[in-house]
Amino acid sequence: MNLNEYDNNQVPAWCPGCGNFSILKCIKRALSELNIPPYKVLMVSGIGQAAKAPHYFKCNLFNGLHGRDIPNAVGAKIANKDLIVICESGDGNTYGEGGNHLIHNIRRNVNIKVFVHNNQIYGLTKGQASPTSDVGMKTKVQPFGVLYPPLNPIALAITLGASFVARSFSGDEDHLTEMMKLAITHKGFALLDILQPCVTFNKVNTFGWYMERVYKLPEDYNPYDFKSAFEKALEWGDRIPIGVIYKNDRPTYEELLPQLDGEPLYRKINDPKEMLEKIIKDFV
């Protein structure tokens, strides 16, 4: 597949220098290198600057409410298990409003991919602290600085038994593309936390701030080692690891449901009108 086959000729409404540009480019690269055509991809997003990314991409798209992208993605995946379903939103959408959906679908291990643009701030609503903002960050809404510790999405996902947990950085496109490819081809729920600068509202966690701190996990690192993975999850500050931090092979939600055996669920419905009438009759 050629990268141009994923273009829809829309002009992104992001600030010059925003990390979203690199992330969008890497998604196209990942799908192109995996030779996955646009019609096999469903991008689902919520609200936010990051959630606009699927608008600039030729594929199937569902853009829903703030924090509600994961349940929509799960519904679509259950209806058509042949789709590559990718949730794409920011840290506020996914770790804040959508936190409950994230937690319970990690537990279920639904075979969807969740790419989180983590710039540690709410960009669309002009710079409030997000769940991943560090202690002390001052904003117009937090004039005395953030008072409590940030959510650690990597540690959270590992403790829930996530089957794939990775982190990358928008400033390293080769690494990010590789992490996306591994997440997409993983069987089960995949969380990819993507560090990125917000050039307008986050003057602390800048491109240079991340560049000085991120480092790649060594080749002999074992992501199946729970203890080592959790230790890596807690690394934050002067050094921040990127790579596949944790893997845990276990059955997917779809594999545990006998109703989903065989062909996709939507093909088993011969007459949608007849089924709808039966559902209504059962409830009346």
Side-chain angles (χ1 to χ4, degrees):
M1 298 293 300
N2 188 297
L3 280 181
N4 295 333
E5 295 182 65
Y6 301 96
D7 288 340
N8 65 0
N9 299 318
Q10 298 297 309
V11 178
W14 292 322
C15 303
C18 177
N20 287 334
F21 288 100
S22 294
I23 297 172
L24 179 63
K25 178 181 175 183
C26 291
I27 293 175
K28 293 177 180 178
R29 276 186 59 189
L31 292 169
S32 171
E33 291 174 17
L34 291 172
N35 202 31
I36 298 174
Y39 78 89
K40 288 190 174 181
V41 179
L42 170 65
M43 303 284 286
V44 186
S45 63
I47 298 297
Q49 293 290 358
K52 294 178 183 175
H55 299 183
Y56 313 127
F57 192 91
K58 187 167 75 176
C59 65
N60 301 293
L61 164 65
F62 185 92
N63 189 180
L65 299 174
H66 203 189
R68 303 295 180 259
D69 45 331
I70 290 180
N72 289 310
V74 170
K77 185 66 180 180
I78 290 173
N80 184 0
K81 62 183 181 181
D82 289 344
L83 274 177
I84 305 293
V85 181
I86 301 172
C87 284
E88 184 156 14
S89 289
D91 44 310
N93 178 93
T94 309
Y95 301 147
E97 282 81 356
N100 189 45
H101 301 302
L102 176 71
I103 288 170
H104 295 292
N105 284 292
I106 286 175
R107 292 176 52 233
R108 295 183 181 110
N109 198 30
V110 184
N111 191 11
I112 63 172
K113 321 304 164 191
V114 178
F115 295 169
V116 184
H117 301 214
N118 184 0
N119 58 12
Q120 302 183 252
I121 200 130
Y122 281 95
L124 184 68
T125 48
K126 313 308 179 193
Q128 301 89 348
S130 84
T132 55
S133 298
D134 289 320
V135 172
M137 173 186 275
K138 292 184 179 179
T139 75
K140 291 180 181 177
V141 181
Q142 288 84 20
F144 305 112
V146 174
L147 303 177
Y148 38 85
L151 176 78
N152 184 330
I154 303 296
L156 175 69
I158 292 173
T159 56
L160 290 169
S163 59
F164 181 98
V165 185
R167 177 189 280 138
S168 190
F169 170 46
S170 65
D172 188 337
E173 293 186 356
D174 289 340
H175 185 270
L176 178 53
T177 301
E178 185 62 24
M179 290 301 106
M180 287 178 170
K181 289 165 64 178
L182 291 174
I184 291 168
T185 54
H186 170 73
K187 191 184 73 171
F189 191 101
L191 174 66
L192 175 56
D193 185 66
I194 306 168
L195 302 176
Q196 65 152 115
C198 173
V199 295
T200 300
F201 295 110
N202 189 339
K203 302 301 184 184
V204 178
N205 310 108
T206 62
F207 183 86
W209 189 93
Y210 289 122
M211 281 294 291
E212 291 174 2
R213 290 164 174 79
V214 298
Y215 75 94
K216 295 174 185 172
L217 290 169
E219 291 185 2
D220 62 352
Y221 174 77
N222 178 12
Y224 289 95
D225 183 333
F226 179 89
K227 183 173 179 293
S228 296
F230 198 75
E231 288 174 352
K232 289 298 176 188
L234 298 182
E235 278 192 36
W236 183 264
D238 293 337
R239 283 171 59 78
I240 303 172
I242 58 175
V244 179
I245 297 175
Y246 185 60
K247 290 189 73 175
N248 173 23
D249 297 338
R250 61 191 180 96
T252 66
Y253 181 70
E254 301 93 300
E255 289 174 332
L256 297 174
L257 290 179
Q259 298 92 330
L260 299 182
D261 282 346
E263 60 183 353
L265 193 59
Y266 80 93
R267 290 183 186 161
K268 298 177 182 177
I269 302 173
N270 295 323
D271 186 342
K273 182 180 177 184
E274 181 181 327
M275 173 162 283
L276 179 61
E277 289 174 346
K278 182 178 182 304
I279 292 172
I280 293 173
K281 183 179 178 182
D282 289 344
F283 276 92
V284 174

